[in-house]
Structure formats: structure tokens, C-alpha cells
Amino acid sequence: MFDAVDPITLARIQFAFTVSFHFIFPAFSIGLASYLAVLEGLWLKTGKTVYMDLFKYWLKIFAIAFAMGVVSGIVMSYQFGTNWAVFSDKAGPVVGPLMAYEVLTAFFLEAGFLGVMLFGMNRVGKKLHYVATLMVAGGTFISAFWILSVNSWMQTPVGYEMGANGQFLPGDSWVEIIFNPSFPYRLVHTVLGAYITTAFVVGGVGAWHLLKDRTNGHARKMFSMAMWMAALVVPVQIFAGDMHGLNTLEHQPQKVMAMEGHYESHPDGAPLILFGIPDSEAREVKYAVEIPKASSLILKHDLNAPLDGLDTIPLDEQPPVGIVFWSFRVMVGLGFAMLGVGLWSLLARWRGKLYDWRWLHRAALVMGPAGFVAVIAGWITTEVGRQPYVIYNLLRTADAASPLDAPAVGASLIAFVVVYFAVFGTGTWYILRLMSHPPHLGEMGVKRGDTGPIRTAGITPGPTQDPGNLSPDSLSSLKYVEPEDPEVKL
């Protein structure tokens, strides 16, 4: 059934599917880890049980999201060897060490402290447990740091040398490679996006429970905290996105041309096209709704500044305009919708109606998943806008793929789709089920199995009894005693 399909197209679809599915979970866990650190810090500072109840409530959700993020990310590493072996061979000397640094720093840090964070509340001191929570939160950020450094280098490659066999070799300074021209902007924009994504999930869950019971103090607290994030951080994100766009215009102009829908150059000021239907054959945006010269004002801060269009770029170097054009508008549109919810919450807070305005709660509930859609749309804009290159202006996507037949790639793609929706769909359903239960006083946290690890040698006698002196009668009298631990098994 795949004989007539281009294997490179199937490989791209497969990687796009797995990375989009994977990106959902880190975008949530990065922000949620920091939110948990804030909750535990406020509990230590104020002693208010509401913060610890919310910490335990969201800790269970974090554990599942974190696990699914790790598992879904492993698959992409294998695809570098199966579907993109040429890319791995040519870019491995630069990309490989950066990804190894992510494992050696972030992964080890998270693995070392995650168990203490999840299960150590009653086993270590409060301050030590808080340190563990901070380490996990820091680990998620460090992980994003290295992964985004790799991706940014592929977008704006610098600091490399070309080997005799066509490989990209690191030059004199790894600092230049790591802190490549687009990395600081992409790091800030992506991490803020993760924080905002988490804020709207928390706000949506809080709004859901307020709609059912507006007197729930725990729901009030989480909704208030989320709306503060929406009101204060979304404007910062819009500014960071604008700076990222200006950096992209400098280093990847054809990506911005596709985002703006500028098929033609505008020597006297370019219009801002709000909506329309890009037609790459006719080289125009049909039914365009535009604001004259506004694009030049945004990108050049001058109404009459000239802007080049795609007519200055060879056809074989232009990205797919339709996908980039609309994914960018989805991201920006959702960003301004989030800003609207944040400003609405400020008005409600100023009038003392934050917990009473039902339409605000409904809006926050509807916007709960908006962050996930926005970050995926932004990721599509970034990756598709780089095409037809996998390493910008240096290695084409068509030249980076493994020499595979279409049926082989198609079969693995179908397997990924089935397994991902079955496994991660179930995990997502369970997360939503946890969220449907309202947080309450004395919230239970994550707990490992009561019986501990399985002992293949059978029953292990208690420490006060010599196993050699146990009789059949004494063995029959042994019983299991429920541990005195207030936490509940997940």
C-alpha cells in the first residue's frame, strides 16, 4: 500500500508524529516541575497545608506525565539510526556530544532525585526533600537547554569545520556551537511556552472544580496562581516571541517570508496579512485580509521599510508556505487568546469576582489545552519553515535520510501510531481522571507498593526471629501488617 509513496515523506511524517506526541509531555512536565517547587517552597515558608495538598495532588500527575515523556522520547533516538542514518553520520560529531551532555547532566540529575521527590516526603527531612524537588525542576530545564541547543544549531549552524568525508566537525570552541545565534531566543521562547502551558492546565482544572463548587479553597488557590501566571507571563512571552521573530528574520529570512505569506517583495512597506489562503502555484495569498505596511512596522519598526519576498529565493529552497503560514497564525492567535484570559482575570481580581465570574471559569476551562496546541503549532512553524534543509543551508532533508523502502517505513509508522495512541492515550486518560477529582484537605501523594520488591526466595522472616527456628505452625501465624503511612498507593 506504500509502494507509490516517497519513503522520505513517510520518514518525515513518522518523525513529525513521534516528536509532536513527545513534545506534549515535556512541555507539561517542565512547567509542572517548577510549579511543584513553588508549592513546596510556599508550604515551607508559610506552613499552610493548602500548598502541600496541592503539591501532592499535582505530584501524582507529574509522575505519570514525566514517565510518558521519557518513554516517548526514546523512540526518536532510534529513528536517527533507522530513518536518518546519513544525518547521524554527517552531524554526529557535533550533535552526538550535545545529546550526550543532556544525558550526563539532566537525566542523571532527574534520575538521582526523582525517587526522593516522589516517595521521600516521610523518609527525609523537609528541606532535603525540597532540595530534591528543586533538582528535578532544574533537571527538566537543563534537559530543555541541551535539546534546544541541538535544534538551534541545526537552524543556525556555526562553529563547525567540514571533514574530508563530509562530516560536520566541531571547531575550536564548543561555546560557539552551544550558544549559536538562535539558541538564546529559542530557549526563552520554548521554556516560557512550557510554563504557560502548565499554567493554563492548572487554571483549567481549577476552573472545572470552581464551576462545580466555588467554595473549594484548594481550587481557588490553584486557579488564582494560574491566572497570575497568565496575566504576567503571557505578555513577556509575546515580547520574547517578537524578539525571536526578528532573530529568525536575520538568520532564516525565507522562514519569515513563509510565515508572513510574502510571495512578492515590498519595496515601500509590506502589509501584515491576518488571514488568507496561500496559493503557491499562483504565488499569492488569496482572499487576504491585511493591514497595510504593518508587517514592515513589526519586523523593521518602520512603516516604509522594504521587505524581501519569496521571489528572491529559488523555488527549490522555499519552505511549504501553507503549513508555515497557518501554524504560525494558530500559535499567535492562541497567544493573544491567552493574553485575553489573563487580562480578564485581572479585571475579575480587581473587582473581587475572581471566583464568582462563571464565564471566566468557562473560558479558562476551554483554554486549558490551548498551550499544548500553541507549542506544537510553534514547533511546526520552526521545523517546516527550515525546509528543505535539515541543517540550514548545508544539508538537505532529502540527502539526510536512510536508503529505506517505503513499505518498511510505512509499516513502522503504522505501528507507532497504534502503539502511541494505545499506550499514551491510556496514560492521558488516567491523568484526566486524576484531574477530575477535586483537591481536598489531607490530599494523598504518590506511594510505592506496600509490599516492596518481590522476593524470589519466598517469605522473609522478621528481624527478631531466627529463620532456622521457624516451625510450620509459626509460619502459618505470620501475617501482613499495613504500614503506618498516610499516603496512598498510586
Side-chain angles (χ1 to χ4, degrees):
M1 64 181 290
F2 294 108
D3 288 337
V5 184
D6 181 14
I8 296 178
T9 300
L10 290 174
R12 291 177 62 187
I13 293 174
Q14 183 179 117
F15 196 84
F17 172 78
T18 53
V19 73
S20 297
F21 221 113
H22 165 71
F23 196 36
I24 292 173
F25 301 110
F28 185 38
S29 59
I30 290 172
L32 190 54
S34 297
Y35 180 55
L36 290 171
V38 171
L39 288 173
E40 188 171 6
L42 290 173
W43 172 66
L44 290 174
K45 181 178 180 180
T46 66
K48 294 181 179 179
T49 57
V50 63
Y51 294 118
M52 180 48 58
D53 291 335
L54 289 177
F55 175 85
K56 292 182 177 180
Y57 180 87
W58 287 103
L59 184 63
K60 294 177 287 188
I61 296 170
F62 171 80
I64 302 171
F66 184 87
M68 290 195 292
V70 171
V71 174
S72 62
I74 293 175
V75 176
M76 293 185 297
S77 300
Y78 287 109
Q79 290 184 64
F80 286 131
T82 56
N83 296 349
W84 304 101
V86 178
F87 166 78
S88 299
D89 174 60
K90 291 184 177 297
V94 173
V95 173
L98 297 180
M99 299 186 72
Y101 295 154
E102 190 263 343
V103 175
L104 291 173
T105 56
F107 189 77
F108 282 3
L109 187 65
E110 293 165 347
F113 288 94
L114 183 63
V116 179
M117 176 185 177
L118 296 179
F119 309 114
M121 180 62 71
N122 296 327
R123 294 174 174 84
V124 299
K126 295 179 180 179
K127 293 183 179 179
L128 180 57
H129 186 273
Y130 184 51
V131 170
T133 304
L134 290 175
M135 291 300 102
V136 172
T140 60
F141 175 81
I142 295 172
S143 179
F145 178 95
W146 289 115
I147 296 301
L148 290 172
S149 178
V150 171
N151 182 266
S152 297
W153 182 84
M154 294 164 62
Q155 304 277 348
T156 51
V158 292
Y160 65 91
E161 299 175 354
M162 295 303 300
N165 56 356
Q167 285 185 315
F168 295 88
L169 304 177
D172 297 331
S173 173
W174 275 101
V175 174
E176 185 180 7
I177 294 175
I178 296 170
F179 295 95
N180 55 80
S182 65
F183 170 63
Y185 300 92
R186 185 167 287 106
L187 177 66
V188 172
H189 194 50
T190 304
V191 172
L192 286 179
Y195 291 156
I196 293 170
T197 297
T198 302
F200 273 87
V201 171
V202 173
V205 174
W208 168 260
H209 294 299
L210 285 176
L211 287 169
K212 294 193 294 184
D213 179 14
R214 71 178 66 183
T215 64
N216 187 317
H218 294 71
R220 287 185 169 212
K221 180 61 68 175
M222 74 166 73
F223 183 73
S224 176
M225 296 176 73
M227 289 302 100
W228 274 124
M229 282 289 293
L232 300 178
V233 180
V234 172
V236 178
Q237 173 70 318
I238 293 175
F239 174 76
D242 178 66
M243 298 300 295
H244 188 23
L246 296 178
N247 176 264
T248 304
L249 177 64
E250 179 182 356
H251 297 282
Q252 295 176 298
Q254 55 260 57
K255 181 187 292 187
V256 176
M257 296 172 189
M259 290 160 51
E260 297 292 325
H262 290 163
Y263 285 102
E264 297 180 353
S265 300
H266 296 84
D268 300 320
L272 175 63
I273 302 175
L274 301 177
F275 304 103
I277 302 176
D279 187 341
S280 293
E281 293 186 2
R283 312 301 296 170
E284 64 176 350
V285 178
K286 295 183 176 179
Y287 314 108
V289 178
E290 58 186 42
I291 302 175
K293 300 190 177 185
S295 185
S296 291
L297 178 63
I298 294 173
L299 295 174
K300 296 288 189 177
H301 306 298
D302 183 356
L303 284 171
N304 298 312
L307 280 179
D308 292 334
L310 288 170
D311 54 355
T312 63
I313 307 296
L315 286 175
D316 63 345
E317 295 184 10
Q318 296 181 14
V321 177
I323 298 175
V324 179
F325 180 87
W326 277 111
S327 62
F328 176 69
R329 274 148 187 77
V330 169
M331 177 187 67
V332 173
L334 288 174
F336 279 101
M338 294 176 187
L339 177 63
V341 172
L343 296 177
W344 193 359
S345 72
L346 284 181
L347 176 62
R349 195 186 300 272
W350 176 62
R351 298 186 62 178
K353 300 292 184 180
L354 184 64
Y355 311 118
D356 300 321
W357 283 5
R358 310 289 280 178
W359 281 107
L360 172 61
H361 302 160
R362 293 186 181 99
L365 177 60
V366 171
M367 292 295 293
F372 297 111
V373 180
V375 295
I376 292 176
W379 202 250
I380 291 173
T381 302
T382 296
E383 298 306 301
V384 179
R386 181 182 56 195
Q387 298 303 316
Y389 295 98
V390 64
I391 300 179
Y392 186 68
N393 280 344
L394 296 174
L395 179 63
R396 287 180 175 265
T397 304
D399 299 329
S402 304
L404 295 175
D405 294 330
V409 183
S412 60
L413 172 60
I414 292 176
F416 278 133
V417 172
V418 173
V419 172
Y420 268 51
F421 275 104
V423 175
F424 299 113
T426 303
T428 302
W429 169 82
Y430 188 62
I431 287 177
L432 293 175
R433 183 180 176 185
L434 290 175
M435 291 177 177
S436 67
H437 297 289
H440 55 80
L441 184 65
E443 186 72 41
M444 301 300 180
V446 179
K447 188 181 184 303
R448 62 180 182 176
D450 291 334
T451 57
I454 297 175
R455 299 178 177 89
T456 55
I459 298 175
T460 301
T464 59
Q465 220 167 357
D466 185 354
N469 295 330
L470 287 175
S471 64
D473 292 335
S474 62
L475 282 174
S476 64
S477 66
L478 291 176
K479 64 179 182 179
Y480 172 71
V481 178
E482 189 71 22
E484 296 179 1
D485 193 331
E487 296 181 338
V488 69
K489 179 180 178 182
L490 179 61

